[in-house]
Amino acid sequence: MLAFIVRRMIQAAIVLLTVALIAFVMFRFVGDPVNQIVGIETTAADRAEMRETLGLNDPVIIQFGRFVGRMARFDFGMSYQFRQPVSELFAERLPATLELAVISMVLAVGVGIPMGVFSALYRDSLSAKLMQVLSLVGISLPTFLIGILLIYVFSVQLGWLPSYGRGETVTIGGWSTGLLTGSGLLALIMPSVTLGLFQMTLIMRLVRAEMMEVLRTDYIKFAHARGLPDRVVHFGHALKNTLVPVITVVGLELGSVIAFAIITETVFQWPGMGLLFLQAVQNADIPIMAGYLMLIGVLFVIINLAVDLLYAAVDPRIKTTASAG
Amino acid sequence: MTPDTPSQNTTKAGFMARLRDHDMTASFLSSKVTVGAAIVTVLLMAGALLAPLLVASDPFDPTTVFIMDSHLPPFWIDGADPRFVLGTDDQGRDLLAAILYGLRVSLSISILGVLFATILGVGLGLVAGYVGGTVDAFIMRVADVQLTFPVILVALLIDGMVHGALKGVGQEDTAFGVLVFSITLSFWVKYARVVRGSTLVERNKDYVHAARLVGLPSFIIMLRHVLPNVLGPVLVILTINFGLAIIAEATLSFLGVGLPPTEPSLGTLIRIGQQFLFSGEWWIVLFPGLTLAALVLAVNLLGDWLRDALNPKLR
C-alpha cells in the first residue's frame, strides 16, 4: 500500500512539474514581461535594469527553477490589469467558486443517485423512461443555454430568483460566504442547478446502468431469498456495489465542475475565480492565467490522488493488485 | 455506405467486412430516432450550406440592414413584419438569416477543428504505437497531462495564449483560425490513445511483418497497412467529438473569446441575444439557442447509434 501511494505521489509530482513548465513558458515567452509591467515612457536603460532585477537575463533553466519556487509559495506575480498580487485576487474570489462548486456537486450526487436507483428499479415505469429522455437532453444542452433558459423563466417571467451576483455575503475569518443570508441562498439556486445539471444526469445514468448490472447477480437473488427487506437489499447490497465507478466519476467531475464554473459564472455574473480567469483570457493577463492553471493543476492532482486512495479503501481487490504490483 | 460494398483491396477488408457484417443500413432504418436525427442534421447542414440562396440578403452587409427594422418579433406575434419570419435583432438583422449564417460559421469551425484533430491524433497515435520507445512515452505523457484538464479549459488557455502572442492583431482577423486551432489541440488526445492501442496490436500481426520483410519503409506500412485497420473506432470518436466541438465553439464564442459580433457564430448570437432577455425580446436568444441544441442533440444521437452499430468495443 505504501509503495502504491509513493508511486502515485511521484506521478503527481511529474504532472505538476509539466503544468508548471507550461505556465512558465506562457509567462516568459508570450509577450515580454517587462513591457507588461512598465509604461511607454520608461527609458531603455530602466528597462534593461528591470530585466536584470527580474532575472530575465539568467539561463532559462534557472529562471524556471525560481518560477517553481515562487509558485510553491503561492506567489503568482502581479496581475497586468489589476496591478494587484494575483494571490490576493485569488483569495478574494476563491470562496465564491468553491461554494458554488461544492453545492452543485452535493446537488448532483444527492439527486442523481436516488434518481438512478429509482430508474433502475422501476425501469419500465413511465417516469423512469421520462428521466432517461430528459437526461439525454440534459447532456446535449450546453451549460450556458440551460442558464439562460433558467434566467428567462425564473427571473424574467416569474421574478422569483435574482439573475446575477451572490446576494448579500457575510465574512467569517476572511471567507466571504453567501450561505448564511436569505438573498445569498436565493442567488445560489440557479447557478448551482445550472452547474450541477450535467453531473446530475451523468451520475443518474451511471448509477442506473451499474444498478441494473448488479441487480442481476447471484448475491442479490440470494439476499432476496433470505427474506431480507427490499430496502436493505437495494441500498445495503446493490447500491454499495455500484459505488466504485460512481466515486471515480464524482471525483473526476469535481474538476470539470470547477472548469465549467467559468461558464456558469459568466452567465450569472458570479464573482468567482472563473470570471476572473475569463477576464484574464480576454485581456491576455498572463500572471492570472498561469496562476489559475497551477491552482487547477494542484486541485486536479489532489482529486485524482484522493480518488485512487478511496478506490483502494472501498474495493479490497484493487488494494491487493496494487501491493502485488 | 451500402451493405454490399465490395472491398477494393485486402488491407481494407477488416473495416469493410465489419460494415457488411453489421448491416449498417438495416440497423439505421430500424431506429426511428436515428433516422430523425439524421434528417435534422442533414437539414441543418443544408441550411448552412445553402444560406446565401435561402435568404434574400447577407445579414451582415451593412448596406442591406436598416435600423428601422430592429427588434421585430417573430411572425405569430402582433407587430411582426412578414419579411422577417423569426423576427429581427437589435440592429434590424433578419434572425433567420443570422442563424443560417451563424450555423455556417459554427459548422465550418467544428468540422475543420475536428478534422485537423483527427489527423493529428491518428497520426501521433500511429507513430506512438508503431515506433514505440521514447517517442511513445513522450506522446502519451503529453496526452495524460492534457487529459487531466477539461477540453473547454484547454481551449480557453490556448485561446488566451494565442491572443497574448498576437497582441495588436484585431480579434476579427484571427478569431476563426484561433478557434480551429484551439479545437484541434484540445481534441486530438482521444484519437491518439485509441489508435495507439490498436496499432500496438496490429504491429505484431503477420501482414505487418510481411510488409516489413519486403522492405517497405515504415511510413508506408503505417499509412497503407496499419491505418486502414485501426480506423473503426476513429469514426465513432469523430462523431462524438463533432458534437463536443460544436458545444466548445459555441461556448467559447458565448464567453466572448470566440467570434466577434461582426461575424457571429451561434454562440455569439446567443451572447448578443442574452442582453435582450430582460426587455422581453426572447426570440433573439431563443432561436439560435434552439438551433444549437437541435444540432448537438441530433449529432449526439447519430454518434450513439454509430457506436452501437460498429462494435461496442469503445465502451
Side-chain angles (χ1 to χ4, degrees):
Chain A
M1 188 64 190
L2 189 68
F4 173 68
I5 295 176
V6 170
R7 204 168 50 228
R8 295 292 294 122
M9 294 283 247
I10 293 173
Q11 276 174 15
I14 293 173
V15 170
L16 275 186
L17 221 58
T18 318
V19 174
L21 186 67
I22 297 168
F24 172 71
V25 168
M26 254 165 74
F27 191 75
R28 181 66 188 80
F29 298 106
V30 176
D32 183 356
V34 172
N35 274 348
Q36 301 285 357
I37 297 166
V38 300
I40 307 168
E41 65 275 12
T42 316
T43 61
D46 284 347
R47 279 168 199 263
E49 195 190 313
M50 192 145 202
R51 290 196 83 80
E52 194 56 44
T53 41
L54 283 174
L56 292 175
N57 295 331
D58 295 340
V60 171
I61 188 84
I62 293 178
Q63 288 188 40
F64 178 55
R66 250 196 325 253
F67 182 82
V68 172
R70 278 192 283 124
M71 287 284 155
R73 293 193 306 271
F74 292 105
D75 174 7
F76 302 121
M78 293 285 258
S79 154
Y80 295 157
Q81 8 162 24
F82 298 103
R83 309 272 158 196
Q84 204 180 339
V86 173
S87 47
E88 258 176 41
L89 288 167
F90 281 177
E92 276 169 29
R93 303 291 196 104
L94 197 61
T97 295
L98 278 186
E99 258 171 33
L100 180 61
V102 169
I103 297 290
S104 0
M105 217 53 214
V106 169
L107 202 74
V109 173
V111 180
I113 291 185
M115 269 168 70
V117 172
F118 176 84
S119 55
L121 291 179
Y122 307 101
R123 95 188 71 142
D124 294 324
S125 74
L126 192 66
S127 39
K129 278 181 182 153
L130 200 68
M131 278 183 206
Q132 274 302 103
V133 175
L134 280 182
S135 72
L136 191 66
V137 176
I139 282 182
S140 293
L141 273 184
T143 316
F144 62 92
L145 211 53
I146 296 172
I148 291 174
L149 288 177
L150 286 179
I151 289 183
Y152 182 64
V153 174
F154 292 101
S155 299
V156 179
Q157 289 294 314
L158 299 171
W160 289 352
L161 297 169
S163 63
Y164 65 91
R166 283 184 84 190
E168 274 176 62
T169 54
V170 184
T171 309
I172 304 167
W175 181 281
S176 71
T177 177
L179 294 175
L180 297 174
T181 63
S183 69
L185 285 175
L186 273 184
L188 194 59
I189 296 176
M190 285 203 296
S192 52
V193 168
T194 306
L195 188 55
L197 204 64
F198 180 81
Q199 274 69 30
M200 193 166 90
T201 47
L202 201 69
I203 291 172
M204 184 204 125
R205 288 170 80 96
L206 186 71
V207 169
R208 175 178 178 272
E210 290 288 324
M211 273 293 269
M212 288 183 14
E213 201 117 297
V214 170
L215 285 175
R216 276 202 297 264
T217 54
D218 285 343
Y219 66 84
I220 294 295
K221 286 182 195 147
F222 180 58
H224 276 300
R226 265 155 63 207
L228 292 174
D230 279 354
R231 189 173 44 85
V232 176
V233 178
H234 293 154
F235 291 93
H237 293 66
L239 184 61
K240 210 169 159 189
N241 279 288
T242 64
L243 284 185
V244 171
V246 173
I247 289 175
T248 325
V249 169
V250 169
L252 295 178
E253 285 301 309
L254 198 63
S256 330
V257 160
I258 304 243
F260 280 116
I262 299 171
I263 304 163
T264 313
E265 286 178 10
T266 309
V267 175
F268 294 97
Q269 291 298 304
W270 188 264
M273 299 274 294
L275 210 54
L276 186 70
F277 174 69
L278 190 68
Q279 283 169 350
V281 169
Q282 283 162 345
N283 298 315
D285 192 341
I286 304 290
I288 291 186
M289 284 167 65
Y292 184 82
L293 183 67
M294 273 320 289
L295 211 65
I296 295 281
V298 171
L299 212 69
F300 272 67
V301 164
I302 292 174
I303 290 170
N304 278 340
L305 207 62
V307 167
D308 277 350
L309 295 180
L310 255 177
Y311 238 33
V314 171
D315 192 337
R317 281 168 299 184
I318 295 170
K319 209 186 300 183
T320 45
T321 47
S323 50
Chain B
M1 278 198 216
T2 45
D4 49 6
T5 310
S7 45
Q8 285 147 344
N9 69 48
T10 45
T11 54
K12 277 189 182 159
F15 183 61
M16 283 308 181
R18 228 178 317 166
L19 278 186
R20 204 168 39 229
D21 288 348
H22 278 83
D23 209 346
M24 300 274 283
T25 319
S27 114
F28 176 74
L29 291 175
S30 69
S31 160
K32 284 194 188 101
V33 178
T34 311
V35 175
I39 291 172
V40 171
T41 313
V42 168
L43 275 183
L44 287 175
M45 286 197 175
L49 203 67
L50 304 175
L53 301 176
L54 292 175
V55 292
S57 62
D58 183 344
F60 306 109
D61 178 1
T63 57
T64 61
V65 174
F66 299 102
I67 197 79
M68 299 295 287
D69 295 330
S70 65
H71 302 281
L72 290 172
F75 69 91
W76 64 87
I77 292 176
D78 286 342
D81 185 320
R83 280 182 301 153
F84 307 111
V85 182
L86 295 181
T88 57
D89 69 1
D90 59 317
Q91 303 185 12
R93 297 185 290 216
D94 178 12
L95 210 53
L96 178 65
I99 289 173
L100 288 180
Y101 274 87
L103 203 56
R104 221 173 142 88
V105 177
S106 290
L107 280 173
S108 3
I109 289 177
S110 327
I111 289 173
L112 279 181
V114 169
L115 212 65
F116 290 148
T118 310
I119 296 170
L120 183 70
V122 170
L124 286 176
L126 262 181
V127 170
Y130 191 80
V131 178
T134 335
V135 180
D136 178 29
F138 178 73
I139 294 175
M140 284 304 121
R141 282 301 81 73
V142 174
D144 281 348
V145 172
Q146 191 172 330
L147 213 62
T148 342
F149 297 98
V151 166
I152 196 78
L153 191 63
V154 177
L156 265 175
L157 275 172
I158 293 169
D159 198 279
M161 280 203 264
V162 175
H163 280 308
L166 296 178
K167 236 178 178 179
V169 188
Q171 201 196 358
E172 283 84 3
D173 309 325
T174 53
F176 191 94
V178 171
L179 278 175
V180 172
F181 185 68
S182 314
I183 289 177
T184 305
L185 277 196
S186 333
F187 281 83
W188 66 275
V189 180
K190 250 190 239 164
Y191 298 105
R193 286 168 78 103
V194 170
V195 168
R196 172 183 175 266
S198 352
T199 306
L200 283 177
V201 176
E202 295 296 323
R203 184 174 67 170
N204 293 320
K205 288 197 177 160
D206 285 341
Y207 72 90
V208 175
H209 288 307
R212 214 176 292 162
L213 282 176
V214 174
L216 288 179
S218 292
F219 73 94
I220 297 272
I221 302 180
M222 275 191 255
L223 284 181
R224 303 273 300 270
H225 300 253
V226 181
L227 183 64
N229 287 300
V230 297
L231 275 185
V234 168
L235 211 62
V236 178
I237 306 177
L238 197 126
T239 21
I240 294 170
N241 271 354
F242 184 44
L244 290 174
I246 296 170
I247 293 190
E249 185 279 320
T251 306
L252 289 175
S253 289
F254 172 77
L255 292 177
V257 293
L259 288 159
T262 47
E263 188 200 352
S265 71
L266 288 178
T268 322
L269 289 176
I270 293 170
R271 182 161 75 101
I272 299 171
Q274 196 199 2
Q275 301 157 9
F276 300 100
L277 210 52
F278 289 95
S279 48
E281 284 153 4
W282 47 266
W283 57 89
I284 304 180
V285 65
L286 192 74
F287 292 128
L290 281 180
T291 314
L292 179 65
L295 179 64
V296 174
L297 189 63
V299 170
N300 280 354
L301 285 170
L302 281 181
D304 272 2
W305 162 75
L306 200 65
R307 186 184 52 195
D308 294 344
L310 293 171
N311 218 347
K313 241 189 210 166
L314 226 78
R315 293 233 265 202

